[in-house]
Amino acid sequence: MSFTVIIPARLASTRLPNKPLADLGGKPMIVRVAERARESGAARIIVATDHPDILAACAAHGIEACMTRADHPSGTDRIAEVAQALGLAADEVVVNLQGDEPLIDPALLAACAARIRDGVPMATCAHPIHDVADVFNPNVVKVVLDKAGRALYFSRATIPWDRDAFAATQDALPLGYAPLRHIGLYAYSNAFLQAYPALESAPLETIEALEQLRVLWHGYPIAVHVTDSAPPGGVDTLDDLARVRRHYPN
């Protein structure tokens, strides 16, 4: 399947200033992310940015980049602007890869893109949760699926809730209990990506602080690719940056 990867990258970050330009073994992080995306088999990789320094860093390493407006409320809106500017066909599949994921498995991008089918305009990924602490952690987003592998709901709460087992104990995962952790990687048909910014915000989205609930609230299906293991974490903090740098020695 042909697909395009667009990587939104803002220079401003409250927790880690100038994060896209952080050095990883002699190259900026945003370049490392784009290089990773190249291994996925994508037809095209573009960085969508609001800052000329990121644009210049990409140009210096042969990475295609595009300037966007600075006032986008989300990365999804940012990549929609770029997809429109590129004149992508309505049925082109666009993968939204965050610019702080330099260790992402390239195969995961291709697998997510492949879940876009007729009548399914959006896809994402998940993996099984094995740590009981993660099951009850509101910072770990969970997803439950229907029999076709489409999302029924995303939540910071513990879903599904094993009523009987958790009444007895919450110190261990019940036998046969298989909750899924959502992975923040998305694919869209370009037609849906262009329609998305005009969708009204949803009450559930506001309550849970989960943007993808807007899609379900408006009645659009989201296919979910389930991978066996958790992908390496992205970069949000200095500790994360130190961890990732061990993979890119100078």
Side-chain angles (χ1 to χ4, degrees):
M1 166 182 281
S2 175
F3 62 96
T4 296
V5 176
I6 304 181
I7 307 168
R10 294 176 62 248
L11 194 65
S13 173
T14 54
R15 285 189 286 183
L16 194 59
N18 300 326
K19 180 167 64 170
L21 300 179
D23 181 81
L24 295 180
K27 293 181 181 179
M29 177 160 42
I30 190 62
V31 171
R32 293 296 190 184
V33 174
E35 290 176 341
R36 201 76 168 170
R38 278 177 174 169
E39 299 176 27
S40 69
R44 192 173 185 182
I45 296 97
I46 307 104
V47 171
T49 184
D50 63 349
H51 202 282
D53 287 356
I54 296 176
L55 194 73
C58 290
H61 291 86
I63 303 297
E64 185 177 3
C66 182
M67 285 292 292
T68 69
R69 300 195 334 251
D71 61 347
H72 284 301
S74 72
T76 310
D77 296 89
R78 191 175 306 282
I79 71 168
E81 179 189 343
V82 171
Q84 183 177 47
L86 295 174
L88 298 183
D91 61 353
E92 176 72 11
V93 175
V94 177
V95 173
N96 179 356
L97 172 61
Q98 296 305 305
D100 57 5
E101 297 279 355
L103 301 181
I104 192 74
D105 180 1
L108 197 59
L109 278 65
C112 188
R115 295 302 305 269
I116 301 297
R117 300 279 192 274
D118 291 340
V120 180
M122 182 172 170
T124 190
C125 301
H127 70 84
I129 300 174
H130 301 294
D131 186 341
V132 68
D134 286 343
V135 170
F136 296 102
N137 184 349
N139 294 316
V140 173
V141 177
K142 296 87 177 174
V143 58
V144 290
L145 311 182
D146 66 12
K147 70 176 183 178
R150 299 178 183 180
L152 288 169
Y153 193 64
F154 298 85
S155 183
R156 298 181 182 280
T158 304
I159 56 171
W161 181 263
D162 193 322
R163 184 194 64 177
D164 295 338
F166 289 148
T169 180
Q170 296 180 17
D171 294 330
L173 295 182
L175 184 65
Y177 181 64
L180 294 173
R181 178 177 188 165
H182 177 234
I183 300 169
L185 176 70
Y186 298 99
Y188 319 83
S189 71
N190 187 39
F192 179 72
L193 180 60
Q194 297 307 316
Y196 175 86
L199 293 179
E200 177 189 358
S201 293
L204 293 174
E205 171 191 7
T206 302
I207 293 169
E208 294 258 21
L210 296 175
E211 182 183 333
Q212 63 270 31
L213 287 175
R214 182 185 313 181
V215 178
L216 296 182
W217 191 79
H218 283 279
Y220 294 97
I222 301 176
V224 181
H225 169 74
V226 179
T227 184
D228 291 336
S229 57
V235 178
D236 287 317
T237 66
L238 285 172
D239 287 344
D240 292 335
L241 184 58
R243 168 179 51 80
V244 169
R245 278 177 169 157
R246 291 194 286 272
H247 293 265
Y248 294 98
N250 287 310

